Amino acid sequence: MQDSVQREINLFTPNKRYTGKIDLKNDDIRTIDQLNSSTIYWKNPAEKSFDDAILLYDVEVSLHGAGKLASFNKLQIRLSDIIFFSDSLKKTGTDAEKMRAKTLSTKAKDELAKAKILTEMRGDSFFFISGTFHGLFKNKTKQRYFALTSVKVYEIVRTGDKWERNEVNVGNDFIGVAANHIESCTLSDYE
């Protein structure tokens, strides 16, 4: 049996970015499947203190627009506070999994669609996210996180009586958006 592996991930909360590594049972598991799982994998479950948290190793916490805040060997982050995430993978899934997904998508007549999302306000900021997805949006949002590709993310921050719009470099073309943080959205066919 293969020992667990680690994958780099970026977790975004209002005004903060957590960059670190998570434990996975094996390298074939997609990050979004891990975070949508009813039981989050911990290599050492005895370290777990929150039921709804993910454990990061070699963590760097940075503030949007202000740089590094702190570093930690280990840090737990509650899943309910994560607005979206990205990982270090450029490609996901095995060839068999990709073939299966393509077949299922064709049978279900999944269409590529665009989404523009406004997250709820937390503190003095919220996110404006645009991207594309496959399938029915209603079904996707029943999961904890759902995938968007070809993304653009902006953090809108109130500073005094003014608003600033800052583009967020998510480090990848893919993000997983927390369905429970969506305040409003608009959907359109992909053109």
Side-chain angles (χ1 to χ4, degrees), residues 7-13 17-18 22 30-36 54 79 82-89 129 144-148 151 153 170-178:
R7 177 175 302 144
E8 187 173 291
I9 186 171
N10 293 295
L11 306 172
F12 295 84
T13 65
R17 175 186 196 144
Y18 297 85
I22 60 171
R30 295 183 303 178
T31 309
I32 198 159
D33 293 338
Q34 170 72 20
L35 294 179
N36 278 332
I54 188 165
L79 294 171
I82 300 168
I83 303 219
F84 64 93
F85 73 88
S86 67
D87 59 29
S88 60
L89 296 179
I129 302 168
R144 188 181 291 142
Y145 299 95
F146 69 96
L148 280 180
V151 294
V153 178
V170 297
N172 204 335
D173 186 43
F174 152 87
I175 64 171
V177 179

Side-chain angles (χ1 to χ4, degrees), residues 99-168:
M99 186 70 112
R100 180 180 173 273
K102 187 175 182 179
T103 301
L104 289 173
S105 181
T106 302
K107 283 183 181 179
K109 297 181 181 166
D110 281 347
E111 297 291 325
L112 188 62
K114 291 182 181 179
K116 291 183 181 175
I117 297 168
L118 294 170
T119 66
E120 62 191 4
M121 185 104 170
R122 303 254 324 256
D124 283 341
S125 69
F126 65 93
F127 291 96
F128 174 64
I129 302 168
S130 63
T132 58
F133 67 96
H134 282 276
L136 298 174
F137 189 75
K138 185 175 182 177
N139 290 345
K140 300 287 183 194
T141 58
K142 290 179 183 176
Q143 299 171 345
R144 188 181 291 142
Y145 299 95
F146 69 96
L148 280 180
T149 58
S150 304
V151 294
K152 283 277 193 192
V153 178
Y154 297 93
E155 184 173 26
I156 314 301
V157 181
R158 181 179 18 218
T159 54
D161 58 352
K162 295 185 179 183
W163 291 89
E164 292 179 15
R165 177 179 158 150
N166 304 311
E167 187 168 358
V168 178

